[in-house]
Amino acid sequence: METLLYSAELIQEGGTYKLVVQDLVRDTVQTTPVPKSAVDRLPTFLSVLSSKLNSASPRGRW
């Protein structure tokens, strides 16, 4: 059984971006501005993160 813990959205409004993260366990929401340069690098960051997590041994994961 899967349990969704967090939900995240990246929202563009006009020329600005904001990241909205909802903690579904604690029922809280955090919002933070994100620079366009970080938005542009997001696919690369996610690819690197996925690669590192997939190559980690089960004891090495958090």
Side-chain angles (χ1 to χ4, degrees):
M1 182 171 111
E2 292 184 357
T3 301
L4 186 59
L5 302 175
Y6 293 93
S7 165
E9 296 178 332
L10 181 61
I11 299 171
Q12 179 183 15
E13 190 172 346
T16 64
Y17 298 90
K18 63 182 173 182
L19 178 64
V20 179
V21 178
Q22 182 178 6
D23 182 331
L24 299 168
V25 175
R26 294 176 184 86
D27 195 28
T28 59
V29 175
Q30 291 184 315
T31 303
T32 187
V34 179
K36 183 176 181 337
S37 60
V39 172
D40 292 342
R41 292 189 313 262
L42 188 57
T44 302
F45 172 76
L46 292 174
S47 178
V48 170
L49 179 62
S50 177
S51 175
K52 288 185 181 217
L53 291 175
N54 288 334
S55 68
S57 66
R59 284 185 276 175
R61 289 188 176 182
W62 14 294

PDB file of all heavy atoms in Angstrom, residues 7-13 16-22 30-43 46:
ATOM      1  N   SER A   7       3.140  16.545  -1.541  1.00  0.00           N
ATOM      2  CA  SER A   7       2.722  16.919  -2.877  1.00  0.00           C
ATOM      3  C   SER A   7       3.447  18.216  -3.212  1.00  0.00           C
ATOM      4  O   SER A   7       3.547  19.108  -2.363  1.00  0.00           O
ATOM      5  CB  SER A   7       1.208  17.121  -2.874  1.00  0.00           C
ATOM      6  OG  SER A   7       0.786  17.796  -4.010  1.00  0.00           O
ATOM      7  N   ALA A   8       3.970  18.324  -4.435  1.00  0.00           N
ATOM      8  CA  ALA A   8       4.689  19.538  -4.827  1.00  0.00           C
ATOM      9  C   ALA A   8       4.198  20.030  -6.184  1.00  0.00           C
ATOM     10  O   ALA A   8       3.910  19.235  -7.080  1.00  0.00           O
ATOM     11  CB  ALA A   8       6.184  19.266  -4.888  1.00  0.00           C
ATOM     12  N   GLU A   9       4.103  21.346  -6.297  1.00  0.00           N
ATOM     13  CA  GLU A   9       3.725  21.980  -7.554  1.00  0.00           C
ATOM     14  C   GLU A   9       4.667  23.136  -7.825  1.00  0.00           C
ATOM     15  O   GLU A   9       5.032  23.878  -6.910  1.00  0.00           O
ATOM     16  CB  GLU A   9       2.301  22.543  -7.473  1.00  0.00           C
ATOM     17  CG  GLU A   9       1.230  21.516  -7.288  1.00  0.00           C
ATOM     18  CD  GLU A   9      -0.156  22.148  -7.175  1.00  0.00           C
ATOM     19  OE1 GLU A   9      -0.253  23.314  -6.713  1.00  0.00           O
ATOM     20  OE2 GLU A   9      -1.117  21.488  -7.554  1.00  0.00           O
ATOM     21  N   LEU A  10       5.054  23.277  -9.071  1.00  0.00           N
ATOM     22  CA  LEU A  10       5.837  24.430  -9.503  1.00  0.00           C
ATOM     23  C   LEU A  10       4.898  25.285 -10.336  1.00  0.00           C
ATOM     24  O   LEU A  10       4.378  24.834 -11.359  1.00  0.00           O
ATOM     25  CB  LEU A  10       7.046  23.983 -10.320  1.00  0.00           C
ATOM     26  CG  LEU A  10       7.961  25.083 -10.815  1.00  0.00           C
ATOM     27  CD1 LEU A  10       8.560  25.857  -9.637  1.00  0.00           C
ATOM     28  CD2 LEU A  10       9.055  24.505 -11.677  1.00  0.00           C
ATOM     29  N   ILE A  11       4.659  26.506  -9.881  1.00  0.00           N
ATOM     30  CA  ILE A  11       3.652  27.369 -10.498  1.00  0.00           C
ATOM     31  C   ILE A  11       4.327  28.576 -11.133  1.00  0.00           C
ATOM     32  O   ILE A  11       5.186  29.208 -10.518  1.00  0.00           O
ATOM     33  CB  ILE A  11       2.632  27.832  -9.439  1.00  0.00           C
ATOM     34  CG1 ILE A  11       1.932  26.608  -8.844  1.00  0.00           C
ATOM     35  CG2 ILE A  11       1.634  28.814 -10.035  1.00  0.00           C
ATOM     36  CD1 ILE A  11       1.071  26.913  -7.645  1.00  0.00           C
ATOM     37  N   GLN A  12       3.924  28.870 -12.374  1.00  0.00           N
ATOM     38  CA  GLN A  12       4.391  30.078 -13.050  1.00  0.00           C
ATOM     39  C   GLN A  12       3.257  31.088 -13.028  1.00  0.00           C
ATOM     40  O   GLN A  12       2.126  30.795 -13.414  1.00  0.00           O
ATOM     41  CB  GLN A  12       4.785  29.784 -14.490  1.00  0.00           C
ATOM     42  CG  GLN A  12       5.248  31.009 -15.232  1.00  0.00           C
ATOM     43  CD  GLN A  12       5.571  30.732 -16.689  1.00  0.00           C
ATOM     44  OE1 GLN A  12       5.200  29.703 -17.230  1.00  0.00           O
ATOM     45  NE2 GLN A  12       6.261  31.656 -17.308  1.00  0.00           N
ATOM     46  N   GLU A  13       3.562  32.268 -12.549  1.00  0.00           N
ATOM     47  CA  GLU A  13       2.574  33.343 -12.494  1.00  0.00           C
ATOM     48  C   GLU A  13       3.231  34.592 -13.042  1.00  0.00           C
ATOM     49  O   GLU A  13       4.134  35.147 -12.410  1.00  0.00           O
ATOM     50  CB  GLU A  13       2.109  33.551 -11.055  1.00  0.00           C
ATOM     51  CG  GLU A  13       0.915  34.460 -10.916  1.00  0.00           C
ATOM     52  CD  GLU A  13       0.373  34.495  -9.498  1.00  0.00           C
ATOM     53  OE1 GLU A  13       0.735  33.642  -8.683  1.00  0.00           O
ATOM     54  OE2 GLU A  13      -0.414  35.405  -9.236  1.00  0.00           O
ATOM     55  N   THR A  16       7.188  35.039 -12.848  1.00  0.00           N
ATOM     56  CA  THR A  16       7.809  34.483 -11.644  1.00  0.00           C
ATOM     57  C   THR A  16       7.362  33.044 -11.425  1.00  0.00           C
ATOM     58  O   THR A  16       6.340  32.596 -11.952  1.00  0.00           O
ATOM     59  CB  THR A  16       7.454  35.305 -10.391  1.00  0.00           C
ATOM     60  OG1 THR A  16       6.040  35.231 -10.166  1.00  0.00           O
ATOM     61  CG2 THR A  16       7.881  36.759 -10.545  1.00  0.00           C
ATOM     62  N   TYR A  17       8.156  32.326 -10.640  1.00  0.00           N
ATOM     63  CA  TYR A  17       7.863  30.929 -10.329  1.00  0.00           C
ATOM     64  C   TYR A  17       7.812  30.763  -8.825  1.00  0.00           C
ATOM     65  O   TYR A  17       8.515  31.446  -8.083  1.00  0.00           O
ATOM     66  CB  TYR A  17       8.971  30.021 -10.877  1.00  0.00           C
ATOM     67  CG  TYR A  17       9.099  30.080 -12.373  1.00  0.00           C
ATOM     68  CD1 TYR A  17       9.955  31.003 -12.976  1.00  0.00           C
ATOM     69  CD2 TYR A  17       8.374  29.227 -13.191  1.00  0.00           C
ATOM     70  CE1 TYR A  17      10.076  31.074 -14.349  1.00  0.00           C
ATOM     71  CE2 TYR A  17       8.494  29.289 -14.567  1.00  0.00           C
ATOM     72  CZ  TYR A  17       9.347  30.204 -15.140  1.00  0.00           C
ATOM     73  OH  TYR A  17       9.467  30.271 -16.493  1.00  0.00           O
ATOM     74  N   LYS A  18       6.957  29.844  -8.376  1.00  0.00           N
ATOM     75  CA  LYS A  18       6.939  29.515  -6.958  1.00  0.00           C
ATOM     76  C   LYS A  18       6.729  28.012  -6.799  1.00  0.00           C
ATOM     77  O   LYS A  18       6.039  27.376  -7.595  1.00  0.00           O
ATOM     78  CB  LYS A  18       5.884  30.306  -6.184  1.00  0.00           C
ATOM     79  CG  LYS A  18       4.464  30.041  -6.588  1.00  0.00           C
ATOM     80  CD  LYS A  18       3.512  30.920  -5.778  1.00  0.00           C
ATOM     81  CE  LYS A  18       2.102  30.791  -6.296  1.00  0.00           C
ATOM     82  NZ  LYS A  18       1.175  31.650  -5.580  1.00  0.00           N
ATOM     83  N   LEU A  19       7.367  27.473  -5.789  1.00  0.00           N
ATOM     84  CA  LEU A  19       7.242  26.069  -5.444  1.00  0.00           C
ATOM     85  C   LEU A  19       6.313  25.966  -4.248  1.00  0.00           C
ATOM     86  O   LEU A  19       6.503  26.647  -3.236  1.00  0.00           O
ATOM     87  CB  LEU A  19       8.617  25.479  -5.094  1.00  0.00           C
ATOM     88  CG  LEU A  19       8.635  24.011  -4.666  1.00  0.00           C
ATOM     89  CD1 LEU A  19       8.181  23.100  -5.803  1.00  0.00           C
ATOM     90  CD2 LEU A  19      10.023  23.626  -4.189  1.00  0.00           C
ATOM     91  N   VAL A  20       5.294  25.134  -4.376  1.00  0.00           N
ATOM     92  CA  VAL A  20       4.329  24.920  -3.302  1.00  0.00           C
ATOM     93  C   VAL A  20       4.430  23.452  -2.894  1.00  0.00           C
ATOM     94  O   VAL A  20       4.220  22.558  -3.714  1.00  0.00           O
ATOM     95  CB  VAL A  20       2.888  25.248  -3.763  1.00  0.00           C
ATOM     96  CG1 VAL A  20       1.897  24.997  -2.643  1.00  0.00           C
ATOM     97  CG2 VAL A  20       2.800  26.672  -4.279  1.00  0.00           C
ATOM     98  N   VAL A  21       4.785  23.212  -1.635  1.00  0.00           N
ATOM     99  CA  VAL A  21       4.923  21.851  -1.122  1.00  0.00           C
ATOM    100  C   VAL A  21       3.903  21.654  -0.006  1.00  0.00           C
ATOM    101  O   VAL A  21       3.871  22.419   0.959  1.00  0.00           O
ATOM    102  CB  VAL A  21       6.349  21.575  -0.585  1.00  0.00           C
ATOM    103  CG1 VAL A  21       6.446  20.169  -0.018  1.00  0.00           C
ATOM    104  CG2 VAL A  21       7.365  21.784  -1.695  1.00  0.00           C
ATOM    105  N   GLN A  22       3.074  20.629  -0.163  1.00  0.00           N
ATOM    106  CA  GLN A  22       2.069  20.309   0.850  1.00  0.00           C
ATOM    107  C   GLN A  22       2.509  19.067   1.600  1.00  0.00           C
ATOM    108  O   GLN A  22       2.786  18.023   0.994  1.00  0.00           O
ATOM    109  CB  GLN A  22       0.714  20.079   0.193  1.00  0.00           C
ATOM    110  CG  GLN A  22      -0.385  19.793   1.191  1.00  0.00           C
ATOM    111  CD  GLN A  22      -1.746  19.617   0.536  1.00  0.00           C
ATOM    112  OE1 GLN A  22      -1.874  19.590  -0.675  1.00  0.00           O
ATOM    113  NE2 GLN A  22      -2.764  19.495   1.357  1.00  0.00           N
ATOM    114  N   GLN A  30       3.954  24.888   2.399  1.00  0.00           N
ATOM    115  CA  GLN A  30       5.051  25.864   2.340  1.00  0.00           C
ATOM    116  C   GLN A  30       5.184  26.339   0.902  1.00  0.00           C
ATOM    117  O   GLN A  30       5.106  25.536  -0.035  1.00  0.00           O
ATOM    118  CB  GLN A  30       6.360  25.245   2.793  1.00  0.00           C
ATOM    119  CG  GLN A  30       6.396  24.924   4.270  1.00  0.00           C
ATOM    120  CD  GLN A  30       7.755  24.400   4.686  1.00  0.00           C
ATOM    121  OE1 GLN A  30       8.334  23.566   4.004  1.00  0.00           O
ATOM    122  NE2 GLN A  30       8.258  24.907   5.796  1.00  0.00           N
ATOM    123  N   THR A  31       5.406  27.631   0.749  1.00  0.00           N
ATOM    124  CA  THR A  31       5.580  28.233  -0.571  1.00  0.00           C
ATOM    125  C   THR A  31       6.868  29.025  -0.568  1.00  0.00           C
ATOM    126  O   THR A  31       7.165  29.732   0.394  1.00  0.00           O
ATOM    127  CB  THR A  31       4.394  29.172  -0.887  1.00  0.00           C
ATOM    128  OG1 THR A  31       3.184  28.426  -0.802  1.00  0.00           O
ATOM    129  CG2 THR A  31       4.515  29.751  -2.273  1.00  0.00           C
ATOM    130  N   THR A  32       7.632  28.892  -1.658  1.00  0.00           N
ATOM    131  CA  THR A  32       8.880  29.642  -1.767  1.00  0.00           C
ATOM    132  C   THR A  32       9.091  30.057  -3.221  1.00  0.00           C
ATOM    133  O   THR A  32       8.768  29.302  -4.136  1.00  0.00           O
ATOM    134  CB  THR A  32      10.077  28.810  -1.254  1.00  0.00           C
ATOM    135  OG1 THR A  32      11.240  29.618  -1.214  1.00  0.00           O
ATOM    136  CG2 THR A  32      10.345  27.593  -2.105  1.00  0.00           C
ATOM    137  N   PRO A  33       9.617  31.261  -3.435  1.00  0.00           N
ATOM    138  CA  PRO A  33       9.928  31.675  -4.802  1.00  0.00           C
ATOM    139  C   PRO A  33      11.104  30.856  -5.343  1.00  0.00           C
ATOM    140  O   PRO A  33      11.991  30.446  -4.592  1.00  0.00           O
ATOM    141  CB  PRO A  33      10.294  33.152  -4.671  1.00  0.00           C
ATOM    142  CG  PRO A  33      10.573  33.377  -3.235  1.00  0.00           C
ATOM    143  CD  PRO A  33       9.910  32.298  -2.454  1.00  0.00           C
ATOM    144  N   VAL A  34      11.093  30.626  -6.646  1.00  0.00           N
ATOM    145  CA  VAL A  34      12.151  29.859  -7.302  1.00  0.00           C
ATOM    146  C   VAL A  34      12.646  30.670  -8.491  1.00  0.00           C
ATOM    147  O   VAL A  34      11.837  31.091  -9.334  1.00  0.00           O
ATOM    148  CB  VAL A  34      11.618  28.491  -7.792  1.00  0.00           C
ATOM    149  CG1 VAL A  34      12.692  27.707  -8.502  1.00  0.00           C
ATOM    150  CG2 VAL A  34      11.031  27.696  -6.638  1.00  0.00           C
ATOM    151  N   PRO A  35      13.965  30.898  -8.577  1.00  0.00           N
ATOM    152  CA  PRO A  35      14.476  31.640  -9.738  1.00  0.00           C
ATOM    153  C   PRO A  35      14.355  30.829 -11.029  1.00  0.00           C
ATOM    154  O   PRO A  35      14.381  29.596 -11.008  1.00  0.00           O
ATOM    155  CB  PRO A  35      15.939  31.900  -9.392  1.00  0.00           C
ATOM    156  CG  PRO A  35      16.281  30.960  -8.301  1.00  0.00           C
ATOM    157  CD  PRO A  35      15.006  30.559  -7.624  1.00  0.00           C
ATOM    158  N   LYS A  36      14.195  31.532 -12.142  1.00  0.00           N
ATOM    159  CA  LYS A  36      14.061  30.865 -13.441  1.00  0.00           C
ATOM    160  C   LYS A  36      15.251  29.965 -13.736  1.00  0.00           C
ATOM    161  O   LYS A  36      15.095  28.894 -14.309  1.00  0.00           O
ATOM    162  CB  LYS A  36      13.883  31.886 -14.562  1.00  0.00           C
ATOM    163  CG  LYS A  36      13.671  31.213 -15.912  1.00  0.00           C
ATOM    164  CD  LYS A  36      13.405  32.186 -17.004  1.00  0.00           C
ATOM    165  CE  LYS A  36      13.150  31.587 -18.364  1.00  0.00           C
ATOM    166  NZ  LYS A  36      13.633  30.293 -18.665  1.00  0.00           N
ATOM    167  N   SER A  37      16.436  30.350 -13.310  1.00  0.00           N
ATOM    168  CA  SER A  37      17.620  29.524 -13.559  1.00  0.00           C
ATOM    169  C   SER A  37      17.479  28.156 -12.882  1.00  0.00           C
ATOM    170  O   SER A  37      17.900  27.136 -13.432  1.00  0.00           O
ATOM    171  CB  SER A  37      18.887  30.225 -13.072  1.00  0.00           C
ATOM    172  OG  SER A  37      18.805  30.484 -11.679  1.00  0.00           O
ATOM    173  N   ALA A  38      16.862  28.113 -11.708  1.00  0.00           N
ATOM    174  CA  ALA A  38      16.636  26.831 -11.017  1.00  0.00           C
ATOM    175  C   ALA A  38      15.560  26.021 -11.736  1.00  0.00           C
ATOM    176  O   ALA A  38      15.667  24.796 -11.853  1.00  0.00           O
ATOM    177  CB  ALA A  38      16.251  27.067  -9.569  1.00  0.00           C
ATOM    178  N   VAL A  39      14.538  26.696 -12.231  1.00  0.00           N
ATOM    179  CA  VAL A  39      13.480  26.012 -12.987  1.00  0.00           C
ATOM    180  C   VAL A  39      14.071  25.375 -14.242  1.00  0.00           C
ATOM    181  O   VAL A  39      13.762  24.230 -14.584  1.00  0.00           O
ATOM    182  CB  VAL A  39      12.338  26.992 -13.349  1.00  0.00           C
ATOM    183  CG1 VAL A  39      11.340  26.340 -14.288  1.00  0.00           C
ATOM    184  CG2 VAL A  39      11.648  27.490 -12.086  1.00  0.00           C
ATOM    185  N   ASP A  40      14.949  26.111 -14.916  1.00  0.00           N
ATOM    186  CA  ASP A  40      15.574  25.604 -16.134  1.00  0.00           C
ATOM    187  C   ASP A  40      16.443  24.370 -15.868  1.00  0.00           C
ATOM    188  O   ASP A  40      16.574  23.504 -16.725  1.00  0.00           O
ATOM    189  CB  ASP A  40      16.424  26.689 -16.800  1.00  0.00           C
ATOM    190  CG  ASP A  40      15.577  27.822 -17.364  1.00  0.00           C
ATOM    191  OD1 ASP A  40      14.347  27.630 -17.553  1.00  0.00           O
ATOM    192  OD2 ASP A  40      16.138  28.909 -17.598  1.00  0.00           O
ATOM    193  N   ARG A  41      17.031  24.292 -14.667  1.00  0.00           N
ATOM    194  CA  ARG A  41      17.908  23.160 -14.319  1.00  0.00           C
ATOM    195  C   ARG A  41      17.165  21.998 -13.667  1.00  0.00           C
ATOM    196  O   ARG A  41      17.755  20.961 -13.385  1.00  0.00           O
ATOM    197  CB  ARG A  41      19.024  23.632 -13.385  1.00  0.00           C
ATOM    198  CG  ARG A  41      20.018  24.573 -14.030  1.00  0.00           C
ATOM    199  CD  ARG A  41      21.229  24.849 -13.145  1.00  0.00           C
ATOM    200  NE  ARG A  41      20.899  25.167 -11.768  1.00  0.00           N
ATOM    201  CZ  ARG A  41      20.821  26.383 -11.251  1.00  0.00           C
ATOM    202  NH1 ARG A  41      21.041  27.428 -12.021  1.00  0.00           N
ATOM    203  NH2 ARG A  41      20.521  26.584  -9.988  1.00  0.00           N
ATOM    204  N   LEU A  42      15.874  22.152 -13.413  1.00  0.00           N
ATOM    205  CA  LEU A  42      15.114  21.128 -12.705  1.00  0.00           C
ATOM    206  C   LEU A  42      15.160  19.746 -13.371  1.00  0.00           C
ATOM    207  O   LEU A  42      15.392  18.749 -12.686  1.00  0.00           O
ATOM    208  CB  LEU A  42      13.669  21.592 -12.505  1.00  0.00           C
ATOM    209  CG  LEU A  42      12.793  20.728 -11.615  1.00  0.00           C
ATOM    210  CD1 LEU A  42      13.397  20.574 -10.221  1.00  0.00           C
ATOM    211  CD2 LEU A  42      11.399  21.304 -11.518  1.00  0.00           C
ATOM    212  N   PRO A  43      14.972  19.626 -14.685  1.00  0.00           N
ATOM    213  CA  PRO A  43      15.055  18.287 -15.292  1.00  0.00           C
ATOM    214  C   PRO A  43      16.413  17.614 -15.064  1.00  0.00           C
ATOM    215  O   PRO A  43      16.484  16.409 -14.783  1.00  0.00           O
ATOM    216  CB  PRO A  43      14.812  18.543 -16.784  1.00  0.00           C
ATOM    217  CG  PRO A  43      14.032  19.810 -16.810  1.00  0.00           C
ATOM    218  CD  PRO A  43      14.565  20.639 -15.668  1.00  0.00           C
ATOM    219  N   LEU A  46      16.618  16.493 -11.342  1.00  0.00           N
ATOM    220  CA  LEU A  46      15.811  15.293 -11.092  1.00  0.00           C
ATOM    221  C   LEU A  46      16.460  14.051 -11.676  1.00  0.00           C
ATOM    222  O   LEU A  46      16.425  12.968 -11.074  1.00  0.00           O
ATOM    223  CB  LEU A  46      14.405  15.475 -11.651  1.00  0.00           C
ATOM    224  CG  LEU A  46      13.548  16.514 -10.934  1.00  0.00           C
ATOM    225  CD1 LEU A  46      12.229  16.706 -11.669  1.00  0.00           C
ATOM    226  CD2 LEU A  46      13.321  16.129  -9.491  1.00  0.00           C
TER     227      LEU A  46
END
